[in-house]
Amino acid sequence: MLSFFASTPKWILRFIWFITFGIFFIYFAFNVCGFAFSYVKLIGLADAVQQTVIENNYIPEAEAKALLSYMKSLETPVLRNIRFSTTTEEQALYTSKTARKQYGSVITVGIEADFYFSNPLSVKEITGGVEGFNGTASTGDMSASEIERALDERIVSNEGTGGIRCPIKLEFKVIGLKYYADLDMG
Amino acid sequence: MKTAIKTMLLIACLPFTAFLIFMFIELSNISLVGHKIHTLAATSIQQACVLFSQETYKREDTRLDITQILSIDGTNIGISDDFYGSGNSREQIYQNLYGLSSPFASFTDLDGYWKNYDLLKTQYTSNAVENSISSFYKDALMTPLNVGVPYLDLETVNKIARYNLANLLNGGVIENGRFMNIAYDKSRGEYYVQYKGVDIFLGEDSFKITNISYEVVDLNTEEGKKKFTEYTNMNPDVILKNVTSSSDERTKIAFVGLEYKITMRYSGITPLATLLNNISGSGEAGTELYKVESFDSTSSSNEIAVKSGYADTSAVVYGGGFSGMSDTPRLNRVIYYIIR
C-alpha cells in the first residue's frame, strides 16, 4: 500500500484535491441547508409578528416580550441577532409614540437577523474561562471578576467572526384590523 | 465529436433542470401560501367579529370612513366599509339587527341561559313587566353583546370579513386609491386578489361565512371545563375563582363557531405555472379565463384584461368552525367568545 502511494504521486495529488473539494462541498451543502432552515424559521416568526400587528394595529408590550423571547429561542450558531426591523421599532412597537393606529391603517412590520455562512478558511478564536482565577483571587491590577468580564466581552465581540455575515430582512405591509374608539379615523 | 455530444446533452438537460427548480419553487410556495391564506381568512373573520361587537354604528357617523376598495383599473369592487347600510341612523341599524323583522327575533339557540339576555328578547312576548324592561333596553339600544352574549349578525359579519380579507390580501399595495393586487376576472364575472401566486375570489359567494353555530359551555361540569380549555386555551379557574354559586350566570359561556368557504385558483410564481395553464387551457372552448397581465393607467380604455387562455383551475376550500380542518396539521378553527 505504501509503495502504491510512493509510486503514484499523481494519485496522492488527486486525493488531496478530492479532500479539499469534499470539505468545501460539505460546507456548501451545510450552508444551503442551514440557510433554508433558518429562512423558514424566520418566515414563521415574521408571520407571528404580522399576525400580532393585524390583530392589534401595533405590537403591545406583552406580545413584544413574548415575541422577543421566541426570537431568542430561534437563534442558532449560524442564525443570530434576530430582532424587530428598524421600521417596526419606529412605527409599530409599543415603545414608539405613534405606534397605535386606527382600523384600516397600512403598517410596515418585519424582522431582521444575521445569518453566518460557514467558511472552512475562516478563523474563529476560541475563548473560555481561565483556570485559577476563581473566588477572590487577584492578579494585582484586575480582580477575578474583572478578568472574567473582560473575557466575556471578548467572547461577545468575537461572535461576529467565524462566518460570512449575511443580513436577512423580512418586511411586509399589513393592515391593522382593530378599531380603537379613542382614535380618530384616518 | 465527443465535445459536441456533451454540449448537446447539456443543452437538453437545461430545460429539465429549470423544470425541476421551478417545480421545487412552486411546491414550496403552495405549501407555505396555502396555510397562510387560511390563517388570513380566519383572522379576517375573527377581527370582523371583534369589530361587530364594538358596535361602531353607535358612533356619530355610522360609517368608518376608511379606504374604499377600488380595483387596479379604478372600478369599485362592491366591497366597502358601509357595513350597516348607507344613510341609516343608529336606531334604524339597531332595528335591522335586533328588531322584530331581524333574524335575531327568531333566534332561539341562546335562550334561557342569561336573565338579561332573555329580557332583551321579551319584547316578543306578551308579559307587560318584561316588555317594559325590554322597552327600556330597546330605548338604550342595548344588544346581546352589551350583556356579554356573542350573538353575531351573519350578513354584517360577512361584509366586514370580506372587507378585511380584501385589505389583508392586497397587502397595502395602494396607488392613487387603487388596490394594485385586485383585478377583474371576466369569465367568472367577479373580482379577485392576487396573493403570492394564488388568485382569491372576492365575490359574495366565493368568500363567505357559510354557517354560524352557537355552543353554550357550562363550567359547573367537567366536560364544560374541558371544552372551555379546548376553545380558549385558558384555565377555567380564571372565571370560577370569582363565582360563589353554581347558578351564577357567568359559569355559562357562549361560543360561536364560524365556518367559511374560500374560492381560489393557483396561478403560480414561476413561468412553469403559466406554461402548464396554457397547455391545459388550449383548445378547450368555453374554459378560457381572462387574466389581467398589465395595466396602463394612461389608457382611456377600460378594456384592460388580456386573454391568455387559462383553464379554470379554481377550487373551493372550507375551514373554520368548532372542528376546523382535521386533515391539516393546524386545525384553523374560528371560534369567537366573550368572557364577562
Side-chain angles (χ1 to χ4, degrees):
Chain A
M1 190 69 180
L2 277 171
S3 61
F4 172 77
F5 273 105
S7 61
T8 54
K10 196 178 169 186
W11 189 91
I12 294 168
L13 278 172
R14 276 187 182 175
F15 183 74
I16 290 168
W17 274 113
F18 177 78
I19 293 291
T20 312
F21 279 108
I23 290 168
F24 273 96
F25 179 77
I26 289 165
Y27 266 79
F28 176 76
F30 171 77
N31 279 324
V32 169
C33 293
F35 187 82
F37 280 121
S38 303
Y39 199 78
V40 169
K41 280 204 279 187
L42 290 178
I43 286 176
L45 173 66
D47 274 357
V49 174
Q50 284 181 72
Q51 192 70 19
T52 307
V53 176
I54 289 168
E55 287 172 8
N56 301 283
N57 305 2
Y58 76 111
I59 305 172
E61 189 174 358
E63 278 80 354
K65 282 179 181 165
L67 285 167
L68 285 169
S69 154
Y70 181 43
M71 287 175 188
K72 203 79 193 156
S73 73
L74 292 181
E75 289 195 355
T76 60
V78 291
L79 184 67
R80 303 175 216 158
N81 200 15
I82 307 175
R83 60 206 181 272
F84 290 116
S85 71
T86 319
T87 321
T88 309
E89 283 180 359
E90 285 169 359
Q91 294 182 10
L93 203 61
Y94 71 97
T95 45
S96 166
K97 282 179 185 172
T98 55
R100 280 177 84 233
K101 291 176 182 66
Q102 189 52 283
Y103 179 88
S105 302
V106 179
I107 308 151
T108 306
V109 287
I111 50 159
E112 289 175 19
D114 294 328
F115 182 82
Y116 285 87
F117 284 105
S118 300
N119 171 9
L121 300 177
S122 69
V123 179
K124 181 172 170 114
E125 185 178 355
I126 298 166
T127 51
V130 179
E131 294 291 332
F133 288 104
N134 298 324
T136 55
S138 170
T139 57
D141 292 336
M142 291 174 85
S143 69
S145 59
E146 280 174 330
I147 290 170
E148 277 179 14
R149 192 163 57 245
L151 284 168
D152 285 346
E153 280 168 6
R154 283 184 66 196
I155 292 166
V156 170
S157 68
N158 278 327
E159 270 188 355
T161 63
I164 303 157
R165 181 173 164 268
C166 169
I168 300 173
K169 188 175 185 176
L170 297 174
E171 269 191 350
F172 304 91
K173 278 182 179 176
V174 295
I175 309 291
L177 294 183
K178 183 156 187 179
Y179 171 74
Y180 289 101
D182 61 323
L183 293 179
D184 289 333
M185 291 304 299
Chain B
M1 184 64 186
K2 207 174 170 183
T3 314
I5 292 168
K6 274 183 182 173
T7 312
M8 282 170 69
L9 275 173
L10 192 69
I11 291 167
C13 282
L14 277 175
F16 184 68
T17 313
F19 176 83
L20 284 180
I21 292 169
F22 288 157
M23 188 67 103
F24 176 75
I25 293 170
E26 294 290 358
L27 286 174
S28 309
N29 187 52
I30 289 170
S31 58
L32 286 172
V33 173
H35 282 294
K36 183 76 181 162
I37 289 171
H38 272 294
T39 306
L40 290 178
T43 306
S44 302
I45 295 167
Q46 198 83 41
Q47 293 305 108
C49 297
V50 174
L51 189 69
F52 179 77
S53 68
Q54 287 179 299
E55 301 184 325
T56 52
Y57 63 89
K58 289 182 179 174
R59 297 161 74 241
E60 267 185 41
D61 186 354
T62 55
R63 285 183 68 161
L64 287 172
D65 280 336
I66 42 185
T67 318
Q68 298 300 297
I69 299 183
L70 302 178
S71 71
I72 190 171
D73 63 346
T75 53
N76 195 325
I77 72 165
I79 298 175
S80 76
D81 69 334
D82 186 15
F83 306 134
Y84 300 101
S86 184
N88 284 346
S89 67
R90 71 187 76 171
E91 287 77 15
Q92 283 170 312
I93 294 168
Y94 181 83
Q95 279 306 313
N96 292 341
L97 293 174
Y98 307 105
L100 285 167
S101 56
S102 69
F104 180 65
S106 55
F107 176 74
T108 55
D109 289 15
L110 299 175
D111 288 0
Y113 294 104
W114 307 277
K115 198 174 178 181
N116 278 327
Y117 176 80
D118 290 340
L119 283 170
L120 257 177
K121 298 206 76 180
T122 52
Q123 58 187 315
Y124 315 115
T125 73
S126 56
N127 185 309
V129 178
E130 287 180 349
N131 274 343
S132 101
I133 297 170
S134 177
S135 169
F136 168 74
Y137 283 166
K138 196 179 160 188
D139 291 343
L141 302 185
M142 272 186 74
T143 67
L145 296 155
N146 299 146
V147 294
V149 179
Y151 168 79
L152 301 169
D153 182 68
L154 179 61
E155 191 188 335
T156 311
V157 176
N158 245 326
K159 281 183 189 171
I160 306 173
R162 196 172 299 115
Y163 184 89
N164 285 349
L165 187 75
N167 255 301
L168 275 183
L169 294 175
N170 183 64
V173 189
I174 304 165
E175 286 177 23
N176 300 323
R178 292 170 175 185
F179 283 55
M180 301 308 281
N181 289 326
I182 296 182
Y184 186 68
D185 187 317
K186 268 189 171 180
S187 67
R188 289 181 67 98
E190 62 181 316
Y191 288 91
Y192 65 95
V193 56
Q194 295 170 316
Y195 180 79
K196 297 178 196 247
V198 183
D199 302 337
I200 295 109
F201 293 98
L202 298 170
E204 279 189 22
D205 197 46
S206 294
F207 171 68
K208 70 173 182 182
I209 300 163
T210 50
N211 184 41
I212 294 184
S213 52
Y214 296 84
E215 188 176 335
V216 179
V217 164
D218 185 355
L219 293 184
N220 294 311
T221 65
E222 282 308 311
E223 195 194 343
K225 285 179 185 172
K226 222 159 96 180
K227 276 257 164 95
F228 178 83
T229 307
E230 187 187 333
Y231 292 158
T232 65
N233 208 21
M234 282 163 58
N235 189 335
D237 294 339
V238 175
I239 291 168
L240 292 174
K241 71 180 178 188
N242 299 318
V243 173
T244 49
S245 155
S246 63
S247 60
D248 193 312
E249 287 187 346
R250 285 174 295 180
T251 56
K252 310 279 190 304
I253 312 282
F255 290 93
V256 191
L258 299 105
E259 292 162 33
Y260 65 87
K261 82 167 192 180
I262 186 164
T263 311
M264 56 179 106
R265 174 181 63 203
Y266 193 69
S267 57
I269 52 171
T270 67
L272 179 70
T274 313
L275 187 73
L276 291 176
N277 276 329
N278 277 325
I279 292 167
S280 60
S282 60
E284 290 179 41
T287 59
E288 291 160 330
L289 292 183
Y290 293 84
K291 186 176 165 63
V292 172
E293 298 199 325
S294 64
F295 174 65
D296 178 10
S297 58
T298 58
S299 167
S300 58
S301 168
N302 287 327
E303 193 64 33
I304 60 158
V306 179
K307 184 181 171 186
S308 60
Y310 283 12
D312 189 354
T313 52
S314 62
V316 180
V317 288
Y318 298 86
F322 286 113
S323 52
M325 298 181 294
S326 55
D327 55 343
T328 58
R330 194 178 162 186
L331 278 176
N332 220 40
R333 289 168 159 170
V334 183
I335 299 171
Y336 181 68
Y337 56 91
I338 296 172
I339 291 178
R340 289 188 279 176

